[in-house]
Amino acid sequence: MSASRRSGTTDELGPDEPERAGPEGTGGSDLLAALLDGMDAALCAFDADGVVTHWNREAERILGWTAAEAVGRHGFADWAVRSADAEEVEARLMSAMDSPGRQVHEFALLTKDGGRVLVRTQSAAVRGPDGKPAGVYCAFSEVHAQIDLERSIALSEALFEDASWGVVLVDADLRPAVVNAHAARALGIGRTSVLGRPLGELLAQGVEELESALTHVLAEGAPPAPAEIWVSVRTPDGDQRRCWRCGFVRLASPLAEEPVPLGVGWLFQDVTEAKQGEQEAALLRFRTNQMHRAARAAAECEDPAEAATVHLDFALAGFADHALIDRVAGGTLSDADASAAVRLVRAAATPSGAPGPSLPTGAAGLPVRYAEGHPALQCVARAGSVRASVGTVPPEQARLWAEARQWPADSVHALCAVLRSRGRTLGVVTFLRGGGRSPFERSDATYAEDVAARIATALDLASAQ
């Protein structure tokens, strides 16, 4: 049924004009009725005398009264509001005729089945052809629905302004459409500069994993739990590796009959420091357990030299790919002789091919052909740890670098720790990593020094026998 009154008289809210044909011959009143019935908000209108002239489908849905039952009634008295409230409600609604702009009110209306609904109304005057008020229109909705809408809008604005985590709205082409201030800072770029750019231009690493997650959310929906993604962010100081804990939600248009994906809401928080702390704690626990196991195993060795290789094998797990023990030719070196030329003899080494336990070597006592300035010789001279790395070079050059230092051909990172016992230098233990591992860090040197102290004690005991 039409939302407007179908009497033979002209509608009091409009001029006395003949109906004009709308699109494809549709009458103007039919077009108006269609527009009113298609609105998401409930709408009713009153003429200057307070008679209901329009009533759309959303008003019918909220209150239960049909347009046929509502149009033509005088005000809301005795049907849409309680009698005790009717005068006040009508006065507040009709006061819009004499007020500029819109007025907002809240009051309770009655449903057809006798229930009460608290609504929020926006009312404004309707002007006639002469510019004088000819009536009032009133748009209303349930208060809880209005509050839900306001909360949603407020939440959206807060997320994109004041949130303490990154919020990015990514469109269906996987390009940022809206970015909050926190996310812009995390990406190292301005809020407007990031819009519409491919993620590959913003991140040096981790783009594939992030785009895969966004694509999955577009196709399947939000994952059940947050995901931790490691990325490298381009900054003026170089690439910075960060860990972001990410949550994703798929966004769909509420106006479409079928869900139409608008993109993905991507929320993330930087947890790099926490993850690094967890990794360091886990690594420390593992290394402590390895040293404990090595000490127990070495205690069962009758030969102290065998105990030294046991410590080396346990230290190698998860730490390096190869390891070498070089003894000072002649047994030991005192601090007074540190400036003299030093020769080192290979005492033990891990297999350079297939993995396996360390093997004793150097029975002939021939010195290793270390060139001047070799990291192992520097380690003896300094009585401290020395780190070395080939850097970023072609594979062939890296192989020549390792062979020139008498190391396995696949070695690209080295860490030498001095073997000291009873104030004397016994030799050097060298740990080597291949190209698939990161360079040795200061924490690695500390661990290597602890292992070297245990190996040195075992070798010193072996020399004393």
Side-chain angles (χ1 to χ4, degrees):
M1 179 173 182
S2 170
S4 59
R5 184 174 53 184
R6 297 284 187 181
S7 65
T9 62
T10 302
D11 192 336
E12 295 185 25
L13 293 184
D16 188 5
E17 296 179 354
E19 287 190 350
R20 291 174 294 180
E24 299 182 2
T26 304
S29 59
D30 292 334
L31 176 59
L32 175 61
L35 292 173
L36 294 178
D37 284 342
M39 293 177 62
D40 292 329
L43 187 139
C44 64
F46 303 87
D47 62 15
D49 297 325
V51 177
V52 178
T53 60
H54 293 78
W55 190 267
N56 73 347
R57 291 188 185 276
E58 184 65 11
E60 177 181 342
R61 185 194 68 79
I62 294 176
L63 299 180
W65 301 98
T66 65
E69 295 169 320
V71 172
R73 290 179 179 266
H74 188 281
F76 285 154
D78 298 326
W79 64 286
V81 296
R82 297 188 310 171
S83 300
D85 300 331
E87 183 177 350
E88 178 187 359
V89 169
E90 183 175 351
R92 291 167 67 181
L93 288 176
M94 300 307 293
S95 65
M97 291 182 60
D98 303 320
S99 303
R102 293 179 297 175
Q103 292 189 348
V104 178
H105 302 286
E106 288 185 6
F107 44 76
L109 296 181
L110 295 178
T111 63
K112 187 175 181 179
D113 58 8
R116 299 183 71 192
V117 178
L118 183 63
V119 299
R120 178 174 296 175
T121 66
Q122 294 186 32
S123 55
V126 177
R127 305 288 173 179
D130 55 0
K132 296 181 180 180
V136 174
Y137 82 83
C138 172
F140 63 91
S141 61
E142 298 176 79
V143 166
H144 71 81
Q146 182 71 19
I147 292 176
D148 289 344
L149 175 60
E150 292 178 1
R151 284 173 178 163
S152 297
I153 296 173
L155 174 61
S156 176
E157 292 180 350
L159 286 175
F160 286 106
E161 294 296 335
D162 305 323
S164 59
W165 55 88
V167 182
V168 181
L169 175 58
V170 182
D171 63 21
D173 295 328
L174 306 186
R175 297 179 182 235
V178 184
V179 178
N180 76 341
H182 187 97
R185 288 193 299 269
L187 292 168
I189 194 171
R191 294 183 64 178
T192 57
S193 302
V194 71
L195 302 182
R197 297 177 60 179
L199 294 175
E201 295 183 5
L202 307 175
L203 302 175
Q205 293 181 356
V207 178
E208 295 80 2
E209 185 176 1
L210 179 58
E211 289 184 341
S212 176
L214 294 171
T215 302
H216 172 81
V217 174
L218 281 172
E220 305 293 337
E228 293 178 351
I229 300 178
W230 282 92
V231 301
S232 291
V233 182
R234 293 189 175 96
T235 68
D237 299 328
D239 295 346
Q240 291 186 355
R241 187 161 171 78
R242 314 300 297 172
C243 181
W244 290 343
R245 180 171 292 145
C246 303
F248 304 93
V249 290
R250 181 169 60 180
L251 305 178
S253 172
L255 303 179
E257 294 183 2
E258 297 182 0
V260 177
L262 294 178
V264 176
W266 168 32
L267 295 84
F268 67 90
Q269 189 174 26
D270 194 318
V271 293
T272 306
E273 294 183 1
K275 291 300 295 183
Q276 289 176 341
E278 292 175 3
Q279 292 175 351
E280 291 172 359
L283 183 60
L284 180 60
R285 287 194 300 269
F286 174 76
R287 290 178 175 177
T288 301
N289 290 335
Q290 285 296 98
M291 295 183 70
H292 175 72
R293 294 172 59 195
R296 292 176 61 89
E300 302 299 324
C301 298
E302 296 182 4
D303 183 3
E306 181 184 355
T309 60
V310 167
H311 282 293
L312 186 67
D313 291 336
F314 273 94
L316 201 65
F319 182 67
D321 298 314
H322 307 289
L324 313 169
I325 297 178
D326 296 325
R327 292 290 304 272
V328 172
T332 61
L333 182 68
S334 66
D335 292 343
D337 300 330
S339 60
V342 177
R343 294 186 302 168
L344 299 175
V345 177
R346 183 66 45 81
T350 55
S352 58
S358 303
L359 301 175
T361 60
L366 298 176
V368 185
R369 295 179 295 106
Y370 285 155
E372 184 179 356
H374 190 281
L377 298 178
Q378 295 181 38
C379 181
V380 173
R382 299 177 185 177
S385 300
V386 174
R387 286 177 283 171
S389 181
V390 68
T392 305
V393 297
E396 181 61 25
Q397 188 173 344
R399 184 182 65 82
L400 295 175
W401 178 85
E403 291 178 348
R405 287 157 179 76
Q406 309 300 313
W407 292 334
D410 60 344
S411 303
V412 296
H413 308 298
L415 172 60
C416 299
V418 66
L419 301 175
R420 297 274 295 178
S421 179
R422 293 189 294 169
R424 299 169 301 158
T425 298
L426 279 65
V428 179
V429 59
T430 302
F431 295 99
L432 302 167
R433 288 178 177 175
R437 292 177 178 264
S438 61
F440 289 100
E441 299 179 355
R442 181 65 194 124
S443 59
D444 297 324
T446 301
Y447 177 63
E449 290 166 359
D450 290 341
V451 175
R454 295 169 181 259
I455 294 176
T457 300
L459 293 178
D460 194 15
L461 180 61
S463 300
Q465 290 182 339

